[in-house]
Amino acid sequence: MDEKLRVSGVKAIGNVAWGTHFCQFYQTQEELMDIIFPYLKAGLENNEICIWALPRVFETKNAHEIL
């Protein structure tokens, strides 16, 4: 089966089939930003619906400022 691959935005993951799930562990806010920004950017560039469930270290106002 030849599935169309989607850009994940995550260099270590590369392109993935639609519906693929993966997780990323991080220790610092900077590590989280390094992974979440390219991921969200790739989704938005592909006209996908993107949801970021904020971890407790972020307040909504701070997340808007960071983005």
Side-chain angles (χ1 to χ4, degrees), residues 36 39-40 48-54:
I36 198 70
Y39 179 75
L40 291 173
E48 297 173 357
I49 296 172
C50 298
I51 298 172
W52 181 16
L54 294 175

Side-chain angles (χ1 to χ4, degrees), residues 14-60:
N15 296 339
V16 296
W18 189 88
T20 299
H21 293 79
F22 57 91
C23 69
Q24 175 71 35
F25 295 98
Y26 60 92
Q27 293 181 334
T28 66
Q29 182 173 328
E30 291 77 25
E31 288 178 352
L32 174 60
M33 297 303 99
D34 288 345
I35 196 80
I36 198 70
F37 289 153
Y39 179 75
L40 291 173
K41 183 177 184 272
L44 293 171
E45 287 175 342
N46 288 305
N47 296 315
E48 297 173 357
I49 296 172
C50 298
I51 298 172
W52 181 16
L54 294 175
R56 291 181 185 209
V57 297
F58 288 103
E59 294 181 16
T60 304

